[in-house]
């Protein structure tokens, strides 16, 4: 059974940093792209970043570019999201997700088949 488990969320002051982890199990990690999404209260789930399993290419939403970094540790089957210079508007539940086998990174949530349970990130002003 394919499983994604996020961790690393918490409460941080504006300008601070957090590193989220997404531990994958139950599938061949190297075969799947992994993305991060977030959802704030009352808002739609939005795409944050994605890393490609084919070439390691990384992609970012405009608001994440330059502040967030996605990386993978293939030995540990884990994807990280390093978030720096956090802002109150970054407050949300952060999810990692994977599309079906052979599908590519996408910013559309419905393109993803597997989801973690989410981890809360709260940025205070």
């Amino acid at each position: 059974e394919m499983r994604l488990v996020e961790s690393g969320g918490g409460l941080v002051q504006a300008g601070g940093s957090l590193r989220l982890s997404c531990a994958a199990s139950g599938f061949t990690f190297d075969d799947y792209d992994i993305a991060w999404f977030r959802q704030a209260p009352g808002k739609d789930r939005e795409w944050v970043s994605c890393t490609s399993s084919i070439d390691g290419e990384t992609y970012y939403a405009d608001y994440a570019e330059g502040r967030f970094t996605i990386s993978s540790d293939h030995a540990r089957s884990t994807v990280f999201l390093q978030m720096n210079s956090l802002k109150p508007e970054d407050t949300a539940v952060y999810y990692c997700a994977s599309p079906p086998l052979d599908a590519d990174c996408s910013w559309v949530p419905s393109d993803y088949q597997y989801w973690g349970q989410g981890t809360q990130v709260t940025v205070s002003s």
Side-chain angles (χ1 to χ4, degrees):
E1 178 186 359
M2 190 167 182
R3 190 165 181 235
L4 300 171
V5 179
E6 303 94 336
S7 61
L11 173 64
V12 64
Q13 288 189 331
S17 298
L18 282 174
R19 188 176 82 153
L20 306 183
S21 299
C22 172
S25 62
F27 63 102
T28 303
F29 182 77
D30 292 351
D31 289 344
Y32 290 81
D33 293 359
I34 301 288
W36 286 95
F37 285 80
R38 69 184 188 182
Q39 188 165 20
K43 295 189 176 181
D44 293 335
R45 191 165 296 190
E46 66 175 351
W47 175 72
V48 178
S49 180
C50 189
T51 179
S52 170
S53 61
I54 294 176
D55 55 10
E57 190 67 55
T58 57
Y59 308 92
Y60 298 93
D62 288 345
Y63 64 82
E65 189 79 54
R67 296 192 300 129
F68 296 0
T69 303
I70 191 170
S71 61
S72 301
D73 183 336
H74 291 264
R76 295 166 57 187
S77 297
T78 300
V79 173
F80 302 99
L81 185 69
Q82 177 68 43
M83 304 188 295
N84 299 327
S85 302
L86 283 163
K87 305 174 182 180
E89 51 264 44
D90 293 319
T91 295
V93 178
Y94 283 71
Y95 300 89
C96 61
S98 183
L101 182 63
D102 296 331
D104 296 329
C105 282
S106 166
W107 59 271
V108 180
S110 60
D111 288 342
Y112 289 77
Q113 182 173 4
Y114 306 102
W115 292 86
Q117 83 289 348
T119 186
Q120 176 70 47
V121 171
T122 302
V123 184
S124 63
S125 56

